Amino acid sequence: MARSLSVVLVMLAAFAAVANAATGAFNYEKSGIDWMGPCATGEKQSPVNIVMDRAVQGGKPELFALEYGASKTATVANKGSTIQVIPAADETHLLHLASGDYKLLQMHVHAYSEHAINGLFAPMEAHFVHVHTVDPNKLAVVGVMLRVHRHDSDSAWLRQWLPQAPVETNATATVSVAPTFWSDMIDASSGFWAYPGSLTTPECSEIVSWHVLRKAQPLSVEQAIQFMNIMAVTNQDRTDNRMPQPLNGRTVRFYYPAAATK
């Protein structure tokens, strides 16, 4: 009983920290360059520009394994600064890394992407935020790029929640999703870039282990515009992406997963 209570408290503390970073008390008018505090003074800030031929090959495969449960519903929440999708309270979705086990808290989307690959941005980037199951001061975020592959391509994953996303700040909606909703977007089989960094919204806490997947997911132009239109109504900014930050001596490593499920 005591252990169960401590785990609950860990999750609540982490969720509060992440939620406080997305309250809408900031804007993207200057793409984050006017943010203060650790956002301005931190040495391990995110996102970054990933230069592929400068990334250090990680050597042996790195543990990256999903243990995501089946889903039925999810909550779509307008946080003012972005749209979050939150798993149902009775679901458990775990990410196993070499540094421990992490539980999925929420997913949110940025348009344009926050990370750049060789200086190029994708139309959108999804961030799957996980908290360490023991230490709430450790987060693991999986970044997934969404790109327009063909003129008629779209994202079946976005279709499950984007049309129901509330326009009003602090409004929520419950949506029905496929059993594999959370795992459908995370395909690490082509490898991923990993580096130590921060949350990309104030307070920009430097507690994040980043894993940016090489494989992008499909997106339609219409879906990108739909998301940007929601942002335009919510906070007068069609985009919600922070510009890449200096590496300051950090190393970006590229790994193939030792064990990954899709």
Side-chain angles (χ1 to χ4, degrees):
M1 179 65 179
R3 185 179 184 278
S4 298
L5 179 59
S6 65
V7 171
V8 170
L9 292 175
V10 164
M11 299 305 173
L12 288 175
F15 195 88
V18 176
N20 288 339
T23 59
F26 58 92
N27 62 57
Y28 289 93
E29 183 179 352
K30 297 182 179 180
S31 299
I33 63 174
D34 56 335
W35 298 344
M36 305 301 290
C39 303
T41 61
E43 294 293 316
K44 297 180 179 179
Q45 290 292 291
S46 297
V48 299
N49 175 36
I50 297 171
V51 181
M52 293 176 66
D53 62 5
R54 295 181 187 173
V56 176
Q57 296 294 316
K60 66 179 182 179
E62 179 79 355
L63 176 63
F64 184 104
L66 298 182
E67 188 183 346
Y68 278 13
S71 297
K72 291 183 179 179
T73 63
T75 299
V76 185
N78 187 319
K79 294 296 184 178
S81 60
T82 191
I83 303 297
Q84 284 186 5
V85 184
I86 304 163
D90 60 349
E91 296 176 6
T92 300
H93 309 285
L94 295 177
L95 170 63
H96 303 293
L97 300 175
S99 56
D101 299 334
Y102 295 78
K103 182 178 179 180
L104 180 68
L105 288 178
Q106 48 97 342
M107 183 286 310
H108 59 269
V109 175
H110 295 274
Y112 296 94
S113 68
E114 297 203 298
H115 289 91
I117 310 296
N118 289 340
L120 300 177
F121 295 90
M124 296 177 74
E125 179 179 353
H127 289 166
F128 292 78
V129 182
H130 305 74
V131 61
H132 197 280
T133 55
V134 176
D135 185 353
N137 292 313
K138 291 181 180 180
L139 300 179
V141 181
V142 179
V144 182
M145 300 296 179
L146 290 92
R147 301 183 185 277
V148 179
H149 295 295
R150 304 187 312 270
H151 71 88
D152 61 342
S153 68
D154 79 342
S155 169
W157 178 77
L158 281 174
R159 269 192 266 123
Q160 296 180 69
W161 63 267
L162 185 56
Q164 289 79 40
V167 174
E168 301 81 12
T169 300
N170 297 323
T172 63
T174 300
V175 297
S176 297
V177 296
T180 57
F181 173 76
W182 291 104
S183 59
D184 281 344
M185 283 286 285
I186 301 180
D187 185 350
S189 61
S190 297
F192 57 89
W193 294 280
Y195 75 96
S198 72
L199 295 172
T200 64
T201 55
E203 295 288 326
C204 305
S205 304
E206 296 178 342
I207 58 173
V208 179
S209 175
W210 276 97
H211 299 74
V212 180
L213 303 190
R214 184 176 185 176
K215 184 172 182 178
Q217 297 293 337
L219 169 73
S220 71
V221 172
E222 290 76 14
Q223 288 173 322
I225 292 173
Q226 184 177 9
F227 178 80
M228 290 182 180
N229 284 342
I230 295 174
M231 289 294 93
V233 172
T234 300
N235 62 14
Q236 288 74 57
D237 296 308
R238 287 186 179 273
T239 59
D240 66 334
N241 60 318
R242 187 188 192 193
M243 295 303 293
Q245 305 297 302
L247 276 172
N248 293 325
R250 286 175 290 172
T251 298
V252 176
R253 299 184 181 275
F254 180 80
Y255 294 98
Y256 286 101
T261 59
K262 179 178 180 297

